[in-house]
Amino acid sequence: MTKSLLADEAKKRILVLDGAMGTMIQGYKLTEADYRGERFKDYPSDLKGNNDLLSLTQPDIIKAIHAKYFEAGADLIETNTFNSTRISMADYDMEDLVPEINLKAAQIAREVADEFTAKEPHKPRFVIGSMGPTNKTASLSPDVNNPGYRAIDYDTLVRDYKEQALALIEGGVDALMVETVFDTLNAKAALYGIMELYDEIGKELPIMVSGTITDASGRTLSGQTTEAFLISIEHAPLLSVGLNCALGADQLRPYLQILSRESPFMVSAHPNAGLPNAFGEYDETPEKMAAQIKEYLDMGLINIIGGCCGTGPEHISAIAKLAEEYEPRSVKSIQSTVNSPQEIDR
């Protein structure tokens, strides 16, 4: 599928993104042996919790989750690659598997999307390559006694994001999403790596960015307001910019209002199912979440809507039915050309 098809569909209607992959995986109650599978049964490191590895060891589960979200009404599904960079996979001593994990995850999602598109050609399905924030920050020190220390540097982030993007593209994704951005410098490194890669391979896919407001301060973890976050990344030729995670739909609304007012791009949102309870679980029902998202739609804030932590197919189904009744947010202008990496402020 081409860039124009995805953009064209987003102009026609509000597109629905899937819900939480991690929430669905937790429902399977997988054991250490399930994560390992036959291939990694003797692997020296603990692997339970490495959800991205399941694309290799339990591909049928990942395929089934994608299918459930499409059946619920999603137009877009994200690949099971949120942590599939060398930086994050170092926790499991699996850095060298990064290209294979991204490739396989993209192929699984592509297969499911094509199956649903074939059944319903009037409603094409798209695959979004998920590129998470990594577990390190380029802007902040993890050591309170050494504020100048950084656990990661910009060039390493560029290299690792570029490697991930290449494998996702080879696997057949329709777009790339740099998501759950808590440190904008990490995101800028990802964008630089992606566009450097585009120059090298002579191919461009749409780029989506989604930041996360970490608390009631209305700022990202690295201290930026929503408007500052947008200004920091709007040099890139984005299809969409949005917000996800950390907050529920109700708490996210004021920041989406800022994005909707200021962004020259499409606006996306995939909030959590409310705020976590004392046990870290999400209790918000599909009906309550949909009622809150209706405010987004009544105000004309968004082009793409989905769910993050705690959301499942039931949430996406309620949101999808609601989205059908509304027109997408009007976009003033969307950049159509990709700047060369040399034009991007490092």
Side-chain angles (χ1 to χ4, degrees):
M1 293 180 179
T2 64
K3 178 176 182 177
S4 60
L5 180 55
L6 176 55
D8 287 347
E9 287 296 314
K11 291 173 185 175
K12 294 177 189 174
R13 56 195 171 93
I14 294 173
L15 296 181
V16 178
L17 188 67
D18 59 4
M21 173 63 72
T23 297
M24 294 294 287
I25 288 173
Q26 288 173 13
Y28 283 85
K29 308 294 184 185
L30 300 177
T31 65
E32 176 73 24
D34 293 323
Y35 276 87
R36 289 175 174 272
E38 184 63 25
R39 177 175 172 182
F40 300 103
K41 66 179 182 179
D42 298 321
Y43 205 78
S45 302
D46 291 339
L47 299 180
K48 186 176 181 181
N50 187 354
N51 288 346
D52 294 9
L53 180 63
L54 296 174
S55 296
L56 300 184
T57 58
Q58 302 290 341
D60 289 343
I61 288 177
I62 304 305
K63 183 175 181 179
I65 292 171
H66 287 323
K68 287 176 182 176
Y69 280 125
F70 276 142
E71 289 166 355
D75 301 288
L76 317 173
I77 55 169
E78 292 190 61
T79 55
N80 181 38
T81 55
F82 186 81
N83 291 305
S84 295
T85 56
R86 286 181 181 265
I87 299 165
S88 295
M89 280 293 161
D91 288 351
Y92 301 96
D93 300 312
M94 287 191 150
E95 297 96 312
D96 291 343
L97 286 170
V98 163
E100 183 183 358
I101 290 173
N102 282 283
L103 179 68
K104 181 63 174 177
Q107 290 172 336
I108 291 170
R110 177 82 271 153
E111 179 185 351
V112 183
D114 289 347
E115 288 174 0
F116 276 82
T117 298
K119 289 187 287 187
E120 300 177 299
H122 64 282
K123 183 180 168 69
R125 304 314 210 279
F126 299 91
V127 176
I128 311 301
S130 173
M131 303 176 69
T134 82
N135 52 12
K136 300 186 186 300
T137 167
S139 294
L140 303 171
S141 172
D143 184 355
V144 295
N145 297 312
N146 186 3
Y149 173 71
R150 296 293 182 270
I152 195 70
D153 62 77
Y154 184 91
D155 289 337
T156 301
L157 284 163
V158 170
R159 180 200 69 198
D160 287 4
Y161 274 123
K162 186 175 175 181
E163 177 183 46
Q164 181 182 28
L166 177 60
L168 289 170
I169 292 170
E170 289 176 341
V173 301
D174 297 300
L176 298 171
M177 180 187 282
V178 181
E179 66 166 317
T180 320
V181 176
F182 60 79
D183 182 349
T184 309
L185 188 56
N186 285 38
K188 288 170 76 70
L191 293 172
Y192 186 88
I194 289 168
M195 295 204 279
E196 188 174 64
L197 175 65
Y198 286 177
D199 275 356
E200 292 176 5
I201 66 176
K203 180 179 182 178
E204 302 169 8
L205 295 181
I207 304 170
M208 307 164 72
V209 174
S210 184
T212 185
I213 302 298
T214 53
D215 55 36
S217 72
R219 295 173 180 266
T220 63
L221 185 65
S222 54
Q224 284 191 312
T225 63
T226 303
E227 190 170 19
F229 168 65
L230 174 62
I231 291 170
S232 296
I233 61 171
E234 66 181 358
H235 61 276
L238 306 178
L239 174 71
S240 68
V241 62
L243 297 170
N244 75 287
C245 204
L247 301 177
D250 188 44
Q251 296 85 8
L252 202 63
R253 179 178 47 76
Y255 311 115
L256 285 175
Q257 288 178 263
I258 296 171
L259 274 186
S260 181
R261 183 180 69 240
E262 303 292 340
S263 174
F265 313 112
M266 294 183 183
V267 171
S268 71
H270 48 297
N272 291 348
L275 297 175
N277 60 28
F279 302 100
E281 298 171 343
Y282 296 86
D283 302 322
E284 197 158 86
T285 65
E287 294 75 22
K288 185 175 180 180
M289 187 175 181
Q292 293 169 355
I293 284 174
K294 185 177 185 296
E295 293 186 25
Y296 300 178
L297 304 175
D298 288 336
M299 300 174 72
L301 300 182
I302 57 171
N303 303 90
I304 301 167
I305 185 68
C308 201
C309 302
T311 61
E314 298 83 4
H315 294 83
I316 299 307
S317 178
I319 292 168
K321 290 172 183 174
L322 189 63
E324 288 178 354
E325 303 173 11
Y326 290 83
E327 295 296 318
R329 166 183 169 273
S330 177
V331 182
K332 300 172 187 175
S333 64
I334 298 178
Q335 291 174 265
S336 58
T337 58
V338 172
N339 299 326
S340 69
Q342 290 71 29
E343 296 175 47
I344 302 173
D345 180 12
R346 289 176 61 122

